[in-house]
Amino acid sequence: MNTVKRTEDIDFKQNYKREITKKVSFVVCSLVVLVVLAVLSCAIGTGYGFFETYQIILDHIMGVVPANKAEWWADHYVWENVLPSVVAAIIAGAGLALGGSVMQSMMGNPLADPYTTGISSGACFGAVASITLGLSFSSLGGEMGIVAMAFVGALVPALMMILLSKYINTSPSTLILIGTAISYFFNAMVTYVMVIADADALQDAFIWQIGAVSDLHWSDIPLMLCVVAIGSVLIMVVSNKLNLMMMGDNSAKTMGLDVENFRMLCLILISILVASIISFTGIIGFVGLIAPHITRFIIGGDNKFVVPAGMLMGAIILCLADLASRCLLDYGNVPIGVVMSFIGAPVFLYLVTRSKSDKEVF
Amino acid sequence: MASRHEGYRRLCRRKVLFIAGFMILTAVVAIFSLNVGFYETSFSQVFDVIWSNLNGQPVSSRQDQLIIWDIRVPEALVAIMTGAALSVGGAVMQTVLRNPLADSYTMGISSGAFFGVTIAAIAGISILPGVGGNLATVFNAFICSLIPVALILLISRKRRMTPTKIILIGIAIMYVFSAVSTLLMLTADSETLADVYAWRVGTLSQVEWGHVGIIFVFVTLGLIYLMLNNKKYNLMMAGENCAQTMGIDTKRTTLTSLSIVSLVTAAVVSFTGTIGFIGLVGPHIARIFVGSESKYLIPASAAFGAAFLLVADCVSRVSGTYGLPVGVISAMIGCPLFIIILVKMRSKEWA
């Protein structure tokens, strides 16, 4: 009897280990794929060969001084013209996917995405107000003025939600509904501003809304990178708690989690994270919603793995979209969000219809 | 026993009162709305025009006839039907998919319709041959808005469907459509862009008598069907397994309800553009007052939606020189209203 039990035990342990190995190897594979895609995107963007580009980037990072003028130009071209948008695509993809997976687990709703609480519409309102009405902070003009306004606007819905949370029950569905209502409100304000603006300002605002990474520079990167890095570490630390949240509020409470406070903290974190990304890139949809779903289809719903793998998946998706728009289309004129939906949505559709129900989490 | 019975009766009476109250409100606002607008009219004029038209007599003032009978009356009727249809559509979607975020547009209807409009307005393509101008826009919107639901029906014949899957498929299709629309919008000049943008926000000011009949047929038949199925929806709320145990073919009920809601919504959206907010929030507000029982929820959503959209339409007509689109106004009024109601009621309907 005892021996039987022990062999079962060993089987179970081995199975579990095998599962873990599978998930870890998925994460590692994704990382490799991401690096290859990033270099490939740079290579296609510049017209150099794949390994040549790889060497150029590696040399720059290692601090190797370019030997002659041609090398200096190559270095400059790769480093200044192409790499910023690729890096931005990776950071934005990772950050939005992180936001999406946290939001979905926290709200227990497959329809949730990083914008569910109205962040995108708030940012949009800030940016549109800045573009069409010329509103800005006194010291910041032009491009940075729009970024600052978008950032502040993005935090307004979260702030409203925090203020309201004392007066309402903070169940996921109420929060989602309030978030959606707030986003409708800000969308209405955007429309109002657009209606009173002239047609050209409307076009500018429309283009800002779609979201793009093609016109970003190195100076835009540090803030995004810092926030996403800190945010992802914090979320990784609490990923066990996110798993508890997915079982529903009551179960999570039984397990000793202060559900309401934890949810509000996550909301604040995600709001800052997403705000710092989209104020530079504009509203990039889709990736935050589907990257976590695709990850769950492949490795199941454990947030310890969904969070990092989802971030990699998001980065891969956005990087791939960047790559595709470099190969196929007029780069810079077709926004990355459009390319991504074009390629990503059919793939996602296929995955949804094919998915086995045992990997289905919601 | 008797007192418990009495308590239940009182609860039901309160629900009926809510429904009746909003129906009366709709009627009152409808009459009042005929007087709202830039062209000043009095109640006696309005009464005159309507009476003469109903009796088939000629109206003394042609301008009155034009403004009141040809513009304001159809607008009010369409506002009532649109509000009712979108709100009930949202209520049924939320019940069937068991997701508080679902609304009449969850199946990708709005982006499908919008895609139809952009290809008509920007690329000049009409799906039905030999149709041009406004009619092409309407037909394109109607046909394209039904593509997502058709695709879902097609996939569901081969695969098992869960509410989550249906939602995700709807979203994927939505993104494909909006990607194409966005691409087209980027190629458009700023004037056409403004036109298309206005359509997306949704407006009631373009409706004519010809539209009223078509919308009426779709909306009435659809609402009657949904109302007849209200017992099934109650069981669906209890979960799929539960409903199946009670003898309901959940897959069939889900899919037919989705199709009916899509048809009704498509018919409305093709004429008015995508009026948002009411489909999502209307049923939630109704639910806060009458609870989730579909027998009351469906008529309550209809009554509230109709009254709300009518009020929003009145406000939109008097706001600014050109009038803000009704979609904008409904979000601007509705959002604070919704938050106030949530704060006051501390509702737990979904939790």
Side-chain angles (χ1 to χ4, degrees):
Chain A
M1 191 67 198
N2 225 341
T3 47
V4 171
K5 205 173 182 187
R6 201 172 294 152
T7 48
E8 267 180 2
D9 246 22
I10 291 167
D11 268 3
F12 181 76
K13 265 187 188 164
Q14 272 175 347
N15 262 338
Y16 181 71
K17 268 194 187 148
R18 209 175 301 140
E19 278 288 300
I20 296 286
T21 325
K22 228 164 78 183
K23 289 173 185 176
V24 171
S25 50
F26 176 74
V27 173
V28 174
C29 284
S30 316
L31 197 60
V32 173
V33 170
L34 178 60
V35 172
V36 170
L37 279 178
V39 176
L40 198 60
S41 191
C42 286
I44 287 171
T46 52
Y48 297 118
F50 179 80
F51 292 104
E52 208 178 337
T53 318
Y54 183 72
Q55 196 60 44
I56 292 170
I57 296 172
L58 205 64
D59 280 352
H60 193 108
I61 293 171
M62 292 302 178
V64 178
V65 182
N68 53 38
K69 207 167 187 181
E71 264 184 39
W72 187 87
W73 269 112
D75 174 72
H76 183 80
Y77 196 41
V78 171
W79 197 256
E80 297 297 329
N81 284 8
V82 186
L83 207 53
S85 45
V86 174
V87 172
I90 290 173
I91 298 173
L96 292 174
L98 174 68
S101 41
V102 173
M103 216 55 130
Q104 284 165 5
S105 328
M106 193 172 76
M107 300 294 195
N109 195 321
L111 263 182
D113 72 354
Y115 305 137
T116 302
T117 49
I119 300 172
S120 58
S121 58
C124 215
F125 177 65
V128 168
S130 168
I131 292 170
T132 56
L133 305 178
L135 283 179
S136 182
F137 299 103
S138 53
S139 57
L140 295 168
E143 199 88 325
M144 273 328 269
I146 298 175
V147 170
M149 281 293 285
F151 186 78
V152 173
L155 293 181
V156 171
L159 209 65
M160 277 170 81
M161 210 169 280
I162 292 163
L163 289 177
L164 279 172
S165 66
K166 275 182 201 155
Y167 306 105
I168 51 175
N169 76 341
T170 46
S171 69
S173 29
T174 314
L175 284 181
I176 288 179
L177 284 176
I178 288 195
T180 317
I182 293 175
S183 78
Y184 267 109
F185 181 74
F186 276 108
N187 280 337
M189 296 297 284
V190 168
T191 314
Y192 173 68
V193 174
M194 281 187 167
V195 167
I196 59 175
D198 55 310
D200 286 329
L202 192 145
Q203 198 162 25
D204 275 354
F206 173 71
I207 287 171
W208 187 89
Q209 265 183 41
I210 301 170
V213 292
S214 55
D215 48 358
L216 290 178
H217 308 290
W218 279 119
S219 57
D220 302 327
I221 304 288
L223 178 68
M224 277 164 76
L225 183 63
C226 286
V227 176
V228 172
I230 295 170
S232 58
V233 170
L234 288 178
I235 295 293
M236 276 307 290
V237 171
V238 297
S239 59
N240 274 332
K241 290 186 181 173
L242 281 178
N243 281 344
L244 288 182
M245 297 281 281
M246 282 181 79
M247 304 191 315
D249 273 17
N250 288 337
S251 312
K253 272 180 196 164
T254 322
M255 304 293 278
L257 182 64
D258 184 352
V259 176
E260 277 85 12
N261 279 333
F262 182 68
R263 189 175 284 129
M264 288 324 281
L265 278 176
C266 282
L267 266 185
I268 298 167
L269 186 66
I270 296 299
S271 303
I272 295 173
L273 182 94
V274 174
S276 65
I277 294 170
I278 60 173
S279 48
F280 290 106
T281 61
I283 315 297
I284 299 177
F286 196 65
V287 61
L289 181 74
I290 64 154
H293 280 300
I294 291 181
T295 315
R296 281 193 206 100
F297 288 145
I298 300 171
I299 62 166
D302 183 358
N303 275 306
K304 247 186 298 181
F305 294 97
V306 169
V307 169
M311 284 176 73
L312 286 172
M313 184 58 80
I316 288 175
I317 290 172
L318 218 51
C319 209
L320 206 59
D322 186 69
L323 181 68
S325 66
R326 280 178 206 278
C327 299
L328 308 173
L329 298 153
D330 183 10
Y331 187 69
N333 287 330
V334 178
I336 195 164
V338 175
V339 181
M340 185 171 51
S341 306
F342 250 127
I343 305 165
V347 174
F348 182 59
L349 202 60
Y350 176 79
L351 282 175
V352 174
T353 49
R354 287 268 150 184
S355 75
K356 293 191 196 102
S357 39
D358 62 317
K359 284 280 165 65
E360 226 169 71
V361 185
F362 289 104
Chain B
M1 263 326 256
S3 78
R4 189 182 293 168
H5 198 74
E6 190 54 37
Y8 177 71
R9 276 260 194 77
R10 207 178 302 138
L11 205 64
C12 287
R13 221 176 293 140
R14 220 174 59 200
K15 291 175 181 177
V16 172
L17 217 61
F18 176 88
I19 297 166
F22 270 99
M23 280 180 169
I24 293 166
L25 183 68
T26 309
V28 172
V29 178
I31 293 167
F32 176 74
S33 79
L34 300 179
N35 263 323
V36 176
F38 269 99
Y39 181 69
E40 300 268 336
T41 50
S42 68
F43 274 108
S44 63
Q45 267 171 303
V46 168
F47 186 74
D48 253 11
V49 169
I50 291 176
W51 186 251
S52 324
N53 271 296
L54 289 180
N55 284 336
Q57 291 160 350
V59 180
S60 48
S61 154
R62 279 204 54 200
Q63 196 162 15
D64 282 4
Q65 166 76 5
L66 186 70
I67 299 273
I68 296 171
W69 186 254
D70 290 338
I71 295 179
R72 288 185 190 167
V73 174
E75 195 173 332
L77 290 177
V78 171
I80 293 171
M81 292 189 289
T82 305
L86 292 179
S87 194
V88 169
V92 171
M93 289 291 222
Q94 286 162 8
T95 309
V96 168
L97 298 177
R98 288 193 296 282
N99 194 317
L101 264 183
D103 70 358
S104 325
Y105 302 137
T106 305
M107 308 285 44
I109 296 169
S110 58
S111 60
F114 187 58
F115 168 72
V117 170
T118 45
I119 60 172
I122 297 170
I125 298 169
S126 169
I127 293 177
L128 285 186
V131 180
N134 267 342
L135 215 56
T137 313
V138 171
F139 274 117
N140 275 1
F142 187 73
I143 294 167
C144 291
S145 62
L146 293 177
I147 293 175
V149 89
L151 215 57
I152 286 172
L153 288 179
L154 210 67
I155 294 171
S156 72
R157 301 181 65 172
K158 295 255 171 69
R159 308 257 157 205
R160 206 175 65 86
M161 278 290 174
T162 59
T164 307
K165 258 190 198 174
I166 293 178
I167 289 173
L168 291 179
I169 291 175
I171 285 181
I173 299 172
M174 194 183 88
Y175 271 106
V176 177
F177 273 131
S178 40
V180 184
S181 312
T182 312
L183 211 57
L184 280 172
M185 279 167 89
L186 282 168
T187 64
D189 57 299
S190 47
E191 297 296 326
T192 323
L193 185 69
D195 278 354
V196 173
Y197 199 81
W199 189 90
R200 181 157 73 175
V201 180
T203 172
L204 292 170
S205 56
Q206 312 271 323
V207 292
E208 298 157 15
W209 270 109
H211 306 161
V212 176
I214 302 172
I215 297 179
F216 181 77
V217 171
F218 274 94
V219 172
T220 341
L221 290 181
L223 294 198
I224 289 173
Y225 176 84
L226 295 175
M227 194 57 208
L228 287 179
N229 275 305
N230 70 69
K231 290 223 169 71
K232 284 187 187 169
Y233 298 137
N234 283 340
L235 292 174
M236 298 278 280
M237 274 297 266
E240 200 166 351
N241 290 338
C242 219
Q244 274 168 353
T245 320
M246 302 295 279
I248 287 181
D249 185 349
T250 46
K251 186 179 167 186
R252 226 184 109 191
T253 312
T254 309
L255 292 175
T256 42
S257 306
L258 291 187
S259 316
I260 298 290
V261 170
S262 303
L263 266 177
V264 173
T265 312
V268 170
V269 160
S270 322
F271 292 109
T272 63
T274 43
I275 297 174
F277 196 76
I278 184 69
L280 177 73
V281 173
H284 282 297
I285 293 182
R287 189 174 278 120
I288 288 171
F289 287 102
V290 303
S292 289
E293 194 187 340
S294 295
K295 192 166 78 177
Y296 298 107
L297 180 62
I298 292 176
S301 303
F304 177 80
F308 183 83
L309 206 62
L310 206 51
V311 172
D313 187 43
C314 286
V315 177
S316 93
R317 254 185 276 167
V318 295
S319 64
T321 336
Y322 302 109
L324 279 170
V326 67
V328 174
I329 296 289
S330 56
M332 279 183 182
I333 308 172
C335 172
L337 179 74
F338 184 53
I339 288 175
I340 290 169
I341 292 174
L342 275 181
V343 170
K344 287 260 185 235
M345 307 298 263
R346 283 180 177 257
S347 149
K348 290 222 184 264
E349 273 304 326
W350 278 103

